[in-house]
Amino acid sequence: MQLTLWTYEGPPHIGAMRIASSMQGVHYVLHAPQGDTYADLLFTMIERQDRRPPVSYTTFQARDLGGDTAGLVKDATRAAFERFRPDALLVGESCTAELIQDQAGTLAASLALPVPVIPLELPAYSKKENWGAAETLYQLLRGVLGARPVRPERAAGTKPRANILGPTRLGFRCRDDVREVSGLLEELGIEVNAIIPLGATVEDLRRVPEADFNVDLYPEVSRSACAWLKRSLGMPHTSVIPMGAGATRDFVVEAAALAGVDPTPLLASRGSRLPWYSRSVDSTYLTGKRVFIFGDATHAIAAARVAATEMGFEVCGLGSYSREFARELREAAAGYGIEALITDDYLEVERAITAAAPELVLGTQMERHIAKRLGIACAVISSPIHVQDVPARYSPVYGFEGANVLFDSWIHPLMMGLEEHLLAMFRDDFEFHDGAAASHLPAGSSVPQATDSPASADAGGLAWSIDGEQELRKIPFFVRNKARRNTELFARERGIQVITTDTLYEAKAHFGR
């Protein structure tokens, strides 16, 4: 396994924990060594849950390896059932326990407990967290519904029904997105039959076949389950992710078609405030801003559409750590004339962002740190998240209200960048003073002030004159690095050794053509 300081996804058993923690009446028995209980903190500290995840650990130690570790699995499973009395048990292994090959799921199934026992085989050395969540949800549905589920006939005169599949703990804004999408379905006259797995019970799983179709809300988690329900029961599922005003309208039309209802009244009465933005002076300043997007495939692809078609930005980078959706991401990137970045190495992402020189980064908490170091505006659009990405307020990113939230989240960092630039430009004015501090940027990221230090040469012998450096600092900090690189490239191509103000403006005219 790759060892890094940061990882976009944990091992697959973390994905299984997300499913168990999202549901009620489901318990997860994890065959794991002492020390693998660290994952509990993800839920109690980041999502600020008021309860521990419903997980029991065998917590074997080094001295146990010479004895009966299989017996620990059976004992832990029996104890978990007796203590928690769950409606279903998930049993699996952590990446370390996988090496012992105790087959924990098979051992637990042999106990003949009076509840469904779902054995999980999650290959930790070839798969990761989102895959683990998807596989767990799929196996849980199969375990509860049976290998050959039956779909009941809908009674005449009843409302069409839909299941919402995919929202989990530690997902990005799942709690609020579910509320927004549920509202859209209800306004269409579609009853929400079950929401799986967030807040669901085992009885909700049994009611899944009663719906007419499924909403595939977070494909990284729900696509496998949706595909199985379509094969087994003939249940169709949605394909549009309702992120942004345009995609939300497309989602409404798609859901209405699957339910056999008319979307016109809803589309006529609902919308976002985006048209106001397109008529404002802000859009003149922000149109054409370069944006780099990286996250899980679902949010990255949807964000790129919003950025390009609704905000008027130029998508200069699009990538994801979700290798299972690499094909979809490459197709989306080709539509913007760029090559998709498929990687789980945050250092590679940082190099790509630096090379693209965007004015806005949309990404995960990793990209927020990268953008902070580079002095670039940033907004988080995807997991992995930090505690500040779990707001107490209602803040969806799906649906029409979600489009308004995206507008605020993406536009404000750019506007604050303009404000900081103006403060730097007029700092010497009588209304300002040299000690004025930046009000919104983190410590250490304020715009540097011009000094009277002599021109300095780089490793290639290229130098900036004092007046050139001073003029460069007048350029907004979020595009200053790009201006510096272009000017130095211009100077090297023409054999210029010292870059002056004139050189800077000549380079600007050259690259502006």
Side-chain angles (χ1 to χ4, degrees), residues 279-497:
R279 293 192 299 268
S280 71
V281 67
D282 290 345
S283 68
T284 304
Y285 164 69
L286 296 171
T287 297
K289 293 298 182 184
R290 291 165 57 82
V291 58
F292 190 102
I293 303 170
F294 192 90
D296 65 49
T298 296
H299 287 92
I301 293 172
R305 173 178 173 176
V306 175
T309 64
E310 300 182 20
M311 302 290 190
F313 297 157
E314 176 190 347
V315 178
C316 65
L318 179 60
S320 176
Y321 56 82
S322 302
R323 296 181 181 275
E324 293 84 359
F325 291 82
R327 180 181 302 172
E328 291 90 333
L329 198 87
R330 290 192 177 101
E331 290 176 357
Y336 305 108
I338 56 178
E339 184 176 348
L341 175 64
I342 312 295
T343 183
D344 58 3
D345 183 350
Y346 71 93
L347 294 176
E348 187 176 351
V349 177
E350 181 168 2
R351 288 191 291 269
I353 292 174
T354 303
E359 291 140 300
L360 175 66
V361 173
L362 304 176
T364 71
Q365 67 156 327
M366 314 310 203
E367 285 66 51
R368 176 169 52 209
H369 290 297
I370 292 169
K372 185 186 297 183
R373 286 198 300 275
L374 298 177
I376 303 172
C378 180
V380 175
I381 61 162
S382 163
S383 296
I385 57 176
H386 200 267
V387 64
Q388 69 189 80
D389 303 313
V390 188
R393 68 186 183 282
Y394 180 61
S395 186
V397 294
Y398 284 0
F400 292 116
E401 184 59 29
N404 295 332
V405 172
L406 293 179
F407 170 79
D408 288 341
S409 302
W410 300 3
I411 294 298
H412 289 172
L414 289 172
M415 297 306 296
M416 292 300 99
L418 174 61
E419 177 184 275
E420 186 67 23
H421 169 55
L422 293 174
L423 286 173
M425 282 182 62
F426 294 105
R427 194 177 295 274
D428 293 330
D429 199 286
F430 70 93
E431 295 184 35
F432 293 85
H433 58 88
D434 290 339
S439 59
H440 66 281
L441 292 179
S445 60
S446 58
V447 180
Q449 298 305 301
T451 66
D452 294 328
S453 58
S456 58
D458 64 8
L462 191 65
W464 283 77
S465 67
I466 293 176
D467 69 300
E469 283 279 8
Q470 290 174 338
E471 197 66 22
L472 178 66
R473 290 191 179 100
K474 295 179 181 179
I475 297 174
F477 70 91
F478 43 84
V479 292
R480 189 178 303 147
N481 288 337
K482 178 181 177 183
R484 179 185 287 275
R485 284 196 299 271
N486 285 346
T487 304
E488 290 176 351
L489 176 62
F490 178 84
R492 287 193 178 95
E493 289 177 347
R494 285 155 181 78
I496 298 172
Q497 296 298 314

Side-chain angles (χ1 to χ4, degrees), residues 243-279:
M243 184 171 166
T248 298
R249 295 178 71 86
D250 292 345
F251 170 82
V252 167
V253 171
E254 182 183 35
L258 292 174
V261 298
D262 183 12
T264 305
L266 172 57
L267 294 177
S269 63
R270 295 291 298 274
S272 77
R273 299 190 65 190
L274 194 61
W276 163 85
Y277 159 72
S278 63
R279 293 192 299 268

